């Protein structure tokens, strides 16, 4: 049902193309019904050719049908392309909606969901949806049309035999349904195992240093292989059901054709020989169309499995056209003064264990607050609470004396410069990374920021300076250099609140002392909150709390 709902929603963006494609498809399907009738004409004509009847009509008919075939081929070609295009468009729309939804989820969502599973959903499951038009809609529509046409023509030829053929074919349906259910279960299982295998690979590559340091290579490969084997077992099961389904239908179809052969000879003397031949072909095509419908049905289940998984994450009502402009961010951003206050704040990631217990502090614009504490004491958790990633269980977090719950998230984050211990940089040049939040600053200001963050010197030594791509071959930035780029990025907006979460842990002593000195000069009217283990180089101007 979800898949049908999805189709209806996506049709909204491509109604015209779809209507054109369906008209072409109708023409193509009807054309395919002509051939058995042609055989009827040919056989009857051959048998009567001894009477000396003229063959002028036949020549005209052949020319006419030749024209129809050429037209049908051209239309078939365009339908094919149109339907593929619609499928690709649908896939891209859903991928974007999926990514958009994920980025809108709160940070807490990602602690339960493996990132590998989420990305494999974006690649594998969503890619399956591109076949929804060419793999489901087209053959389903074509076969239903064809079956209807065949039945009408067969009824015109012999109503009694048509009744029997229909009855036999109707007996095939429950059989095909049974096999389709089986195929659905095993292919669902194999998809699940593939997603798990992807998650293993993703995890291992993301944590490649840990994998190598802990000598986990062999065990990771083993785990990956086991998931693939589990997927293979289910794939084999699925194809065995597919083969059983096809073969049992073939047996029934062959017996059916034998029966038609029998009644063709003995059944009814009112048939012309041509009619018997045409009837034979229509019955054959009819059963083939049913068989093909069965395949469409199992494909439908396969794809709808992916749709269900995708709709667990995204709401189909949010599906938009790629060409529509997103209003992701609010245009009205307020400027904050930068006062941050925690009043008896308690917080736990789950109800069982509190990470922060009754924490209180206050820091005003122009002040520096240093928060120290052993590893695992909750320093990063405090920075996450300031950024509004989580809500406190008890107590109040105030920003400019206003409860954080009432501060618009975009305004809050736009006024905070955040640097974490591990500097995450994005694909692109150093300049693009630094100006990612605001690229409208002057060149002079850009270099001032590089100076403050102690990044100017090493950037100038790079082959293309600030325009060096961080992923360029041969460019390897040290952890300290990446940290300094991240600090520059955080300073671009001159944020009212600067949160440095172990941002100095990768810097060498001299550099660090100079960086603090620069920051002190630049941020004398703004709030700076520093979480750090080692404090020896930090100028002693701060308020200090230990957690
Ligand atoms: P610190 O920054 O002082 O080293 P953290 O704030 O990172 O400490 O972590 C405090 C505690 O919260 C630790 O016990 C850690 O395991 C736990 N923790 C951190 N992040 C999460 C999370 N996303 N989900 C569950 N527990 C977490």
């Amino acid at each position: 049902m979800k898949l049908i709902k999805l189709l209806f929603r996506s049709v909204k963006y491509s109604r015209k193309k779809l209507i054109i494609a369906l008209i072409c498809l109708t023409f193509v399907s009807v054309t395919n019904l002509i051939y058995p009738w042609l055989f009827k004409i040919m056989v009857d004509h051959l048998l009567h050719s001894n009477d000396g009847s003229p063959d002028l009509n036949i020549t005209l008919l052949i020319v006419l049908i030749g024209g129809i075939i050429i037209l049908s081929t051209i239309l078939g070609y365009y339908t094919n392309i149109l339907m593929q295009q619609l499928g690709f468009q649908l896939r891209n729309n859903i991928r974007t909606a999926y990514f958009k939804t994920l980025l809108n989820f709160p940070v807490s969502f990602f602690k339960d969901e493996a990132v590998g599973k989420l990305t494999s959903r974006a690649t594998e499951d969503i890619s399956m949806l591109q076949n929804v038009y060419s793999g489901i809609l087209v053959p389903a529509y074509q076969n239903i049309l064809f079956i209807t046409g065949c039945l009408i023509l067969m009824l015109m030829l012999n109503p009694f035999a048509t009744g029997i053929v229909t009855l036999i074919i109707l007996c095939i349906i429950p059989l095909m349904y049974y096999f389709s259910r089986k195929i659905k279960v095993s292919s669902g299982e194999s998809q699940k195992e593939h997603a798990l295998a992807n998650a293993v690979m993703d995890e291992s590559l993301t944590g490649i240093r840990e994998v190598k340091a802990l000598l986990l290579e062999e065990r990771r490969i083993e785990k990956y292989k086991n998931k693939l084997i589990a997927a293979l077992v289910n794939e084999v099961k699925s194809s065995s059901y597919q083969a059983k389904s096809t073969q049992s239908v073939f047996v029934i179809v062959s017996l059916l054709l034998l029966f038609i052969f029998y009644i063709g000879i003995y059944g009814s003397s009112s048939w012309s020989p041509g009619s018997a031949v045409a009837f034979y072909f229509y019955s054959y095509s009819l059963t083939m169309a049913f068989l093909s419908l069965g395949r469409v049905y199992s494909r439908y289940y396969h794809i709808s499995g992916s749709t269900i998984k995708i709709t667990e994450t995204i709401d189909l009502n949010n599906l938009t056209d790629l060409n529509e402009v997103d209003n992701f961010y609010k245009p009205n951003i307020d400027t904050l003064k930068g006062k941050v206050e925690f009043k008896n704040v308690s917080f736990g990631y789950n109800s069982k264990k509190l990470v922060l217990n009754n924490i209180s502090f206050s820091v005003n614009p122009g002040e520096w607050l240093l928060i120290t504490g052993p590893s695992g004491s909750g320093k990063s958790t405090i920075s996450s609470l300031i950024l509004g990633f989580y809500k406190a269980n008890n107590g109040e977090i105030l920003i400019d004396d206003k409860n954080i719950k009432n501060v618009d998230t975009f305004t809050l984050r736009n006024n905070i410069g955040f640097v974490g211990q591990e500097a995450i940089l994005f694909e692109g040049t150093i300049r693009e990374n630094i100006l990612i939040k605001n690229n409208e600053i002057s060149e002079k200001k850009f270099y001032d920021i590089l100076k403050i963050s102690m990044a100017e010197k090493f950037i100038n030594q790079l082959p293309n300076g600030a325009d060096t791509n961080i992923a360029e071959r041969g460019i390897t930035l040290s952890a300290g250099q990446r940290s300094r780029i991240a600090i520059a990025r955080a300073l671009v907006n001159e944020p009212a609140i600067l949160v440095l979460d172990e941002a100095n842990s990768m810097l060498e002593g001299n550099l660090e002392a100079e960086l603090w000195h620069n920051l002190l000069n630049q941020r004398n009217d703004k709030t700076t909150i520093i979480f750090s283990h080692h404090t020896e180089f930090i100028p002693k101007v701060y308020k200090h709390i230990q957690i």
Side-chain angles (χ1 to χ4, degrees):
M1 274 325 280
K2 289 236 160 96
L3 185 57
I4 293 174
K5 198 171 150 194
L6 174 77
L7 262 179
F8 273 109
R9 292 221 170 271
S10 63
V11 161
K12 212 166 80 185
Y13 308 112
S14 37
R15 202 171 286 146
K16 243 194 238 155
K17 274 188 192 162
L18 191 66
I19 292 173
I20 295 172
L22 287 180
I23 292 172
C24 295
L25 208 57
T26 310
F27 185 83
V28 174
S29 309
V30 172
T31 321
N32 287 336
L33 287 166
I34 294 176
Y35 302 105
W37 207 269
L38 274 184
F39 271 103
K40 169 182 151 44
I41 296 172
M42 183 181 83
V43 171
D44 286 343
H45 177 79
L46 278 177
L47 290 175
H48 293 112
S49 57
N50 296 343
D51 327 356
S53 18
D55 60 357
L56 182 72
N57 286 350
I58 299 287
T59 317
L60 200 72
L61 195 71
I62 294 291
V63 171
L64 198 72
I65 291 178
I68 292 176
I69 291 170
I70 290 170
L71 185 64
S72 158
T73 312
I74 296 170
L75 291 183
Y77 168 78
Y78 277 112
T79 314
N80 211 334
I81 290 181
L82 262 174
M83 287 297 188
Q84 297 264 4
Q85 207 183 19
L86 287 175
F88 295 146
Q89 244 164 33
L90 173 72
R91 179 206 58 202
N92 283 0
N93 283 353
I94 296 182
R95 269 197 170 173
T96 318
Y98 182 74
F99 187 43
K100 203 163 87 180
T101 311
L102 287 183
L103 285 187
N104 265 322
F105 276 142
V107 174
S108 54
F109 169 84
F110 296 92
K111 88 174 160 38
D112 298 324
E113 292 283 329
V115 172
K117 202 169 109 194
L118 292 172
T119 45
S120 102
R121 214 164 267 181
T123 45
E124 287 182 18
D125 291 323
I126 299 182
S127 298
M128 299 260 314
L129 288 178
Q130 76 192 36
N131 299 322
V132 79
Y133 286 100
S134 51
I136 294 183
L137 191 70
V138 171
Y141 181 73
Q142 217 167 10
N143 282 313
I144 289 170
L145 263 189
F146 193 73
I147 288 169
T148 318
C150 273
L151 283 173
I152 293 172
L153 294 168
M154 282 163 76
L155 273 173
M156 283 164 64
L157 293 169
N158 190 328
F160 172 71
T162 308
I164 295 187
V165 169
T166 314
L167 253 177
I168 295 174
I169 288 177
L170 285 181
C171 294
I172 299 178
I173 294 177
L175 193 74
M176 289 200 323
Y177 183 73
Y178 167 78
F179 283 120
S180 306
R181 305 288 307 182
K182 294 274 182 199
I183 292 168
K184 180 198 162 193
V185 174
S186 36
S187 59
E189 284 300 314
S190 78
Q191 276 180 42
K192 225 186 267 169
E193 296 297 339
H194 275 299
L196 288 172
N198 282 348
V200 171
M201 184 186 273
D202 199 84
E203 241 175 36
S204 312
L205 297 181
T206 318
I208 188 75
R209 292 154 64 95
E210 282 74 9
V211 168
K212 287 195 181 282
L214 295 165
L215 295 173
L216 292 180
E217 290 96 330
E218 208 173 305
R219 264 182 278 174
R220 299 306 288 176
I221 294 168
E222 196 60 30
K223 194 163 179 186
Y224 186 69
K225 249 169 45 183
N226 287 341
K227 300 286 170 214
L228 288 186
I229 290 171
L232 181 87
V233 168
N234 282 297
E235 276 156 352
V236 169
K237 249 195 225 167
S238 165
S239 46
S240 128
Y241 287 128
Q242 186 76 60
K244 278 182 196 150
S245 153
T246 314
Q247 290 313 318
S248 37
V249 173
F250 259 114
V251 168
I252 297 173
V253 173
S254 309
L255 294 177
L256 177 68
L257 294 178
L258 212 61
F259 162 75
I260 293 165
F261 175 73
Y262 179 79
I263 59 164
I265 294 180
Y266 299 110
S268 163
S269 51
S270 61
W271 286 27
S272 71
S275 300
V277 169
F279 193 86
Y280 186 91
F281 277 124
Y282 281 128
S283 315
Y284 181 76
S285 312
L286 188 71
T287 39
M288 285 301 128
F290 262 103
L291 200 65
S292 161
L293 261 190
R295 273 189 229 112
V296 173
Y297 184 68
S298 46
R299 205 174 302 143
Y300 169 82
Y301 260 116
H302 201 60
I303 297 183
S304 76
S306 299
T307 317
I308 290 169
K309 272 192 259 159
I310 295 158
T311 49
E312 278 169 10
T313 313
I314 60 169
D315 179 1
L316 291 182
N317 295 322
N318 290 342
L319 200 65
T320 48
D321 191 9
L322 269 189
N323 298 325
E324 278 178 24
V325 179
D326 292 331
N327 290 320
F328 217 81
Y329 298 123
K330 295 196 179 100
N332 307 321
I333 310 154
D334 294 330
T335 307
L336 297 177
K337 291 192 189 77
K339 181 177 176 190
V340 179
E341 189 173 2
F342 272 45
K343 274 189 181 168
N344 307 318
V345 171
S346 298
F347 172 79
Y349 289 97
N350 52 52
S351 51
K352 285 184 209 131
K353 191 178 157 235
L354 280 183
V355 172
L356 301 175
N357 201 350
N358 225 5
I359 299 282
S360 297
F361 63 80
S362 163
V363 54
N364 289 305
E367 289 181 341
W368 285 38
L369 172 69
L370 173 68
I371 301 178
T372 51
S375 175
S377 56
K379 299 183 297 296
S380 296
T381 306
I382 294 178
S383 66
S384 295
L385 288 173
I386 297 172
L387 280 155
F389 292 157
Y390 303 97
K391 289 189 178 72
N393 300 17
N394 282 309
E396 271 185 311
I397 300 171
L398 304 168
I399 305 288
D400 287 355
D401 298 316
K402 203 165 136 190
N403 194 310
I404 197 166
K405 289 180 203 156
N406 304 322
V407 180
D408 168 63
T409 309
F410 186 56
T411 297
L412 176 73
R413 293 181 192 160
N414 201 52
N415 278 276
I416 298 177
F418 171 75
V419 187
Q421 179 171 7
E422 197 190 338
I424 305 286
L425 301 180
F426 300 98
E427 198 278 321
T429 63
I430 292 177
R431 183 189 295 276
E432 282 163 354
N433 264 282
I434 293 174
L435 301 180
I436 205 157
K437 216 165 160 183
N438 176 8
N439 60 6
E440 285 169 2
I441 64 168
S442 67
E443 195 67 4
K444 177 176 177 316
K445 195 162 169 213
F446 175 70
Y447 278 97
D448 283 349
I449 288 168
L450 292 192
K451 264 192 206 118
I452 294 168
S453 56
M454 304 298 296
E456 192 190 24
K457 210 163 157 192
F458 86 83
I459 288 176
N460 281 343
Q461 282 164 1
L462 291 170
N464 293 317
D467 295 312
T468 304
N469 197 305
I470 50 157
E472 224 162 78
R473 277 171 67 136
I475 299 293
T476 31
L477 297 175
S478 71
Q481 289 170 333
R482 295 171 79 89
S483 282
R484 282 179 271 160
I485 294 176
I487 292 169
R489 178 173 65 192
L491 293 177
V492 162
N493 267 5
E494 297 184 353
I497 305 162
L498 180 66
V499 177
L500 302 171
D501 184 3
E502 302 282 2
N504 58 337
S505 60
M506 297 296 171
L507 303 179
E508 305 101 60
N510 285 350
L511 267 177
E512 192 191 332
E514 226 174 302
L515 172 79
W516 291 126
H517 173 78
N518 294 347
L519 283 179
L520 198 58
N521 280 341
Q522 207 240 352
R523 297 188 57 77
N524 51 18
D525 56 346
K526 297 189 173 67
T527 308
T528 306
I529 303 175
I530 304 160
F531 299 87
S532 186
H533 260 100
H534 59 277
T535 55
E536 105 190 69
F537 295 103
I538 306 175
K540 307 265 180 297
V541 294
Y542 45 73
K543 283 181 173 177
H544 181 201
I545 66 155
Q546 184 146 16
I547 53 168

